[in-house]
Amino acid sequence: GKQIVPVEQMLAKIKAALDARRDGGLFIAARTDAASVEGIDAAIGRCQLFMRAGADMAKPMGVDTIPDIKRVLREVDGPHMATLSQAAGPKARSLEELEAAGVCAATFPSLALFAAAQAVRDVLPKGTPIAGFYAYGELSPHATGRCDLHNQTMTLTTFAESPTPVV
């Protein structure tokens, strides 16, 4: 399962980033995955500590519902940036919903990935059977190792026997 670093270690990283900042325009955003490990209360608590330590923004990853986002906006000082993954399925939120909730910005971490996957499909000879695209280490039953979500590698599977297609 997912693990998070001790809060003291994260606070030390924020302090190091602040100490190393030479350009006043450099925006320091701290994020935590605590919501999926310890719950939203722990994630909000960490974000509050990150802001008190001097981060310009603190983002609790995995806080996706509009009521939870509004809670974060009430309880954590600073701007809130949403993450809109095209792989979110039913958890997906529209930009209009997020803006109405008070979110100031959004990232699209999978947009380029899915655009690249579509481009691969577009250049394959017509009729090539595609069983699915898999994020390395996450969904493909044939992958080994761990998936670095900030440096994703996609595997195109073109054989029909693929046990779990993700199309």
Side-chain angles (χ1 to χ4, degrees), residues 128-132 134 140-142 155-165:
T128 301
I130 298 176
Y134 299 94
S140 173
H142 311 290
T155 300
L156 169 64
T157 305
T158 59
F159 51 92
E161 294 81 33
S162 175
T164 319

Side-chain angles (χ1 to χ4, degrees), residues 19 22 70 147 150:
D19 290 346
R22 301 288 176 256
K70 286 181 177 181
C147 180
H150 299 285

